[in-house]
Amino acid sequence: MKRVSILLLLFIAVPLAAQVTPGDNLEVTGIPTIPGELVQRTGQYQNVRSAGFSDWLPDGSGMYISTRFGNTAQIHHVAAPGAARLQRTFFEEPVYGASADPRPGKHGFCFTRDVGGGEFYQIYYFDTQTGAATLLTDGESRNSGAYWAHESGVFAYSSNRRNGKDTDVWIMDPDAPDATWNLTEKSGAWYPVAWAPTDDRLVVVQYISANVTHPYIADLKTRELTPLFDESKKVSYGSSEWAPDGKLIYYTSDEDDEFKQLYTYNVETGKKTNLTPELRWDIAGVSISDDGQYLAYTMNEDGISTLHLFTMPDMTPVIFDPIPVGLIGGLSFSPDNKSLALSINAASSPTDVHVLSLVTGSLTRWTTSEVGGLNTDEFSSPQLIHYPTFDEVDGKAREIPAFVYLPKNTSDKAPVIISIHGGPEGQSRPYFSSTTQYWVNELGCAVIMPNVRGSTGYGKTYLALDNGFNREHSVQDIGALLDWIATQPHLDKDRVAVFGGSYGGYMVLASMTHYPERIKCGVDVVGISNFVTFLKNTKAYRRDLRRVEYGDERDEAMREHLEKISPSNNAGKIRSALFVAQGENDPRVPASEARQIVEAVKGNGIPVWTMFAKDEGHGFRKKNNRDYFMWATILFFQEYLLK
């Protein structure tokens, strides 16, 4: 019997057992045996599921979604609203991105899968008639995509197969994968974005950083790359869609403003037009129906998603049913151009797939995910606040946005968990999290999710405020949050924990070195502990991209600065309990980052817990590992925060 099966049987038996110990795939230190009563109490929260839209089936027979019924997320087919979920893939590793085969007479989809969280994703073709999954890529490189052309029977994808460092755009005919060819073959990171209606050209993007991207039109016959705009300008280009008539490219960009607005680019004349000059927030995603009659985009308004739908070409707004307040993703028009699929996540409910009728404007829920029998009406909804920080804008204190979840009973001062997002080009948003709800409802903690400088969603200037030598300014934003907490009568300034993953893990460690007397404990998940060793050991295909953000350690002055601010070189200042969790196969933040911070704090006389997962990478994607991590974190907070 395989190890995962043993673990699952063990978890099922927990309510009758006294305690739980980690499986052979986990290396732990300091973590006590998990009490059976804790596992039983968390069972409902850990069995919350979600369902995200993947793709429509071209023949109109429903859609593919991603959801989990076992240990990992797999691809399922849903034929109609509320219909049973027919599971298509069955793997121990998570499966991503079902992309339906549009070719006449074909029945299948492409998907990606890696091993052990290593993120060296391979593209497979799944034949729904035979149930066979065929490997299309080389089994060694890192691949993403499977972006089908309209009628030519090929798809574009990105891969570092050429040299392991640079990411190129490749073209593949899935019936002849050995004839795959490289469209870009240049240094840097290149990705396919939008096929021309005639399939002879493809918009591709060279990604430089969160602030800078360069779009080009690639000619599939000559392989010539024609820049769409001035390559010398520091501009970020987001979504792109080629109009069905081939005359215009719709795209988002912050070229004329702080925020990404919607533009058209005339392919023949080179004229660009800003369609949304009045918007003061980022447009996050754009989709155009195949017949060109409808255009939809979502906007990120202070962390909340709003949907905007128009008839074309005059951009007349379409009236539709209210959309639940939350996050919207997965915009995709149906093959018959009568519906728009949405993945909707709200603070009190997990992600589910909804479909908006373009004819009636009505919104229909296609999936209803389980919430473990919990009463979601009792869940905490976040409050959006803005707190002052150390510097000024136009003579006034800069304000940092944050989402605050409060427990029901605030008669006593609540302990606080500051949860810091990764990235750093990320954003905390009011998404559903059963873990957050457990911390609030069961532990009685307030949870605060700040969007410190460097976060996306607040303009390109804000995004760049933490770059290079300004790295610790974002840490000072956490110090300002501690100041704000001290002014709140319902929050306990003497019981504050920090929690974060990836770059958020660095922020946890940095906050603990800067404010050792104000933080009771910290949980660092796959976090950076030393920028120089991180840049040395992160995978080659990521290194230059990260240098743009953090600074180039090959420059003597920058190297000195990075060494000075790295938590591993300031570990002696950490005076409160620390929990470090890490996947052994992490290609982004290698496990050596976790091991060196653990070694560095050993002499501080503080409790240190560790969890290393042999079958995970950048975080925990398998339910058995996520469950154990949740239990350990709860015990950690009970021991070092709540007392």
Side-chain angles (χ1 to χ4, degrees):
M1 185 178 291
K2 296 181 180 179
R3 181 185 299 128
V4 170
S5 300
I6 294 173
L7 287 170
L8 290 176
L9 289 174
L10 179 61
F11 295 165
I12 292 171
V14 160
L16 303 177
Q19 54 193 21
V20 172
T21 56
D24 293 340
N25 64 314
L26 299 180
E27 174 193 326
V28 304
T29 61
I31 303 174
T33 302
I34 309 296
E37 56 267 25
L38 173 59
V39 179
Q40 188 171 25
R41 184 68 197 101
T42 57
Q44 289 179 289
Y45 290 87
Q46 291 173 328
N47 281 293
V48 169
R49 295 185 176 89
S50 63
F53 177 83
S54 285
D55 203 0
W56 291 99
L57 274 74
D59 62 2
S61 60
M63 65 175 64
Y64 292 123
I65 66 167
S66 174
T67 190
R68 176 194 61 77
F69 277 104
N71 201 38
T72 58
Q74 301 292 318
I75 301 302
H76 295 66
H77 173 214
V78 179
R85 306 176 189 184
L86 174 62
Q87 187 166 344
R88 286 299 192 181
T89 61
F90 296 82
F91 297 100
E92 291 185 4
E93 300 290 348
V95 168
Y96 302 97
S99 181
D101 189 342
R103 298 175 295 173
K106 298 290 185 178
H107 304 277
F109 58 88
C110 288
F111 67 88
T112 59
R113 179 168 63 91
D114 70 348
V115 175
E119 298 187 3
F120 280 83
Y121 301 106
Q122 303 302 316
I123 300 176
Y124 295 79
Y125 186 89
F126 186 90
D127 189 314
T128 57
Q129 292 189 323
T130 66
T134 303
L135 175 66
L136 297 180
T137 44
D138 61 10
E140 298 177 354
S141 57
R142 173 185 167 90
N143 308 276
S144 63
Y147 178 35
W148 292 94
H150 300 285
E151 297 180 351
S152 58
V154 301
F155 63 76
Y157 69 103
S158 60
S159 176
N160 68 351
R161 60 182 287 182
R162 175 165 57 93
N163 58 17
K165 177 184 177 183
D166 298 306
T167 298
D168 304 310
V169 175
W170 296 73
I171 307 297
M172 177 184 289
D173 178 346
D175 290 337
D178 291 341
T180 297
W181 55 279
N182 192 334
L183 177 62
T184 53
E185 199 162 353
K186 293 182 178 294
S187 63
W190 296 76
Y191 301 95
V193 177
W195 283 100
T198 51
D199 291 345
D200 60 340
R201 290 165 295 169
L202 177 68
V203 176
V204 299
V205 166
Q206 182 186 24
Y207 182 90
I208 306 298
S209 70
N211 291 91
V212 182
T213 52
H214 299 312
Y216 299 81
I217 293 179
D219 188 302
L220 267 68
K221 293 181 179 179
T222 65
R223 304 193 190 187
E224 180 182 359
L225 297 176
T226 303
L228 288 179
F229 309 108
D230 186 347
E231 299 167 280
S232 66
K233 292 185 177 180
K234 293 185 177 181
V235 175
S236 176
Y237 297 91
S239 301
S240 294
E241 288 282 341
W242 212 304
D245 62 7
K247 297 179 181 179
L248 298 176
I249 295 174
Y250 290 83
Y251 68 96
T252 62
S253 169
D254 61 12
E255 58 194 82
D256 296 323
D257 197 82
E258 281 290 314
F259 297 94
K260 286 188 174 71
Q261 298 170 331
L262 179 63
Y263 295 80
T264 58
Y265 174 82
N266 188 302
V267 178
E268 294 183 356
T269 66
K271 179 183 177 182
K272 67 178 183 181
T273 303
N274 188 344
L275 302 180
T276 57
E278 74 286 354
L279 298 186
R280 309 315 314 152
W281 297 103
D282 279 335
I283 293 177
V286 178
S287 185
I288 299 175
S289 61
D290 287 342
D291 61 4
Q293 297 300 304
Y294 294 94
L295 180 146
Y297 66 75
T298 57
M299 192 160 58
N300 177 352
E301 298 187 32
D302 222 348
I304 305 293
S305 292
T306 57
L307 175 67
H308 303 262
L309 179 64
F310 306 89
T311 56
M312 301 299 287
D314 53 357
M315 292 283 287
T316 300
V318 176
I319 305 301
F320 50 83
D321 286 354
I323 303 294
V325 176
L327 310 184
I328 301 172
L331 291 184
S332 181
F333 288 96
S334 59
D336 63 5
N337 301 300
K338 294 181 179 179
S339 303
L340 176 67
L342 313 167
S343 294
I344 301 177
N345 178 298
S348 60
S349 63
T351 301
D352 269 309
V353 181
H354 296 68
V355 172
L356 180 65
S357 169
L358 303 177
V359 178
T360 66
S362 61
L363 186 69
T364 302
R365 188 168 185 165
W366 272 56
T367 65
T368 303
S369 294
E370 297 81 0
V371 289
L374 294 166
N375 181 6
T376 58
D377 291 338
E378 296 298 315
F379 285 177
S380 173
S381 294
Q383 304 171 13
L384 175 62
I385 62 107
H386 297 81
Y387 65 88
T389 190
F390 66 92
D391 58 344
E392 295 184 344
V393 179
D394 298 329
K396 298 180 181 180
R398 184 188 304 278
E399 292 195 330
I400 305 298
F403 290 97
V404 180
Y405 296 77
L406 294 175
K408 295 291 184 181
N409 181 12
T410 57
S411 57
D412 297 325
K413 288 193 173 186
V416 179
I417 300 171
I418 300 175
S419 180
I420 310 170
H421 68 70
E425 316 96 331
Q427 184 184 20
S428 290
R429 305 182 70 184
Y431 64 91
F432 175 82
S433 166
S434 58
T435 297
T436 298
Q437 295 297 336
Y438 188 93
W439 292 347
V440 175
N441 297 330
E442 305 294 337
L443 297 185
C445 294
V447 177
I448 304 179
M449 299 181 177
N451 282 308
V452 298
R453 68 191 64 214
S455 302
T456 57
Y458 305 99
K460 59 187 179 184
T461 299
Y462 193 84
L463 180 62
L465 284 177
D466 65 341
N467 287 1
F469 289 101
N470 295 325
R471 179 59 45 205
E472 286 192 326
H473 288 179
S474 60
V475 183
Q476 290 178 257
D477 290 339
I478 298 299
L481 178 56
L482 294 173
D483 294 338
W484 180 85
I485 291 170
T487 68
Q488 304 304 303
H490 51 280
L491 301 180
D492 190 343
K493 68 178 179 61
D494 296 319
R495 291 189 295 168
V496 178
V498 281
F499 176 98
S502 192
Y503 176 76
Y506 155 74
M507 290 289 287
V508 165
L509 297 173
S511 298
M512 295 177 76
T513 65
H514 279 258
Y515 313 107
E517 306 304 325
R518 304 173 71 183
I519 294 174
K520 283 203 71 175
C521 60
V523 181
D524 160 30
V525 187
V526 299
I528 300 168
S529 63
N530 184 294
F531 286 109
V532 174
T533 57
F534 158 73
L535 290 169
K536 175 184 176 182
N537 296 320
T538 193
K539 291 296 183 183
Y541 63 83
R542 306 185 71 253
R543 190 169 296 124
D544 286 340
L545 300 177
R546 294 296 81 196
R547 282 170 172 156
V548 175
E549 171 67 34
Y550 298 125
D552 193 333
E553 83 289 359
R554 295 168 297 184
D555 175 82
E556 184 176 350
M558 178 55 71
R559 185 185 187 91
E560 181 180 349
H561 173 71
L562 292 175
E563 291 283 14
K564 179 181 178 182
I565 69 172
S566 289
S568 64
N569 293 329
N570 295 279
K573 300 176 183 177
I574 296 178
R575 308 308 309 164
S576 51
L578 176 64
F579 180 14
V580 177
Q582 177 73 45
E584 290 282 10
N585 306 318
D586 193 340
R588 306 188 206 181
V589 181
S592 54
E593 290 296 300
R595 296 192 186 280
Q596 71 183 0
I597 192 63
V598 170
E599 186 65 28
V601 299
K602 274 186 177 180
N604 290 7
I606 60 171
V608 180
W609 293 14
T610 67
M611 170 183 167
F612 289 85
K614 301 174 184 177
D615 56 346
E616 296 280 13
H618 197 63
F620 307 120
R621 298 183 298 174
K622 296 173 180 172
K623 184 178 184 299
N624 56 312
N625 295 327
R626 291 200 308 272
D627 287 350
Y628 187 87
F629 174 67
M630 180 181 181
W631 297 328
T633 302
I634 292 169
L635 287 182
F636 184 77
F637 286 149
Q638 288 176 334
E639 180 66 24
Y640 300 111
L641 175 64
L642 303 188
K643 291 184 178 179

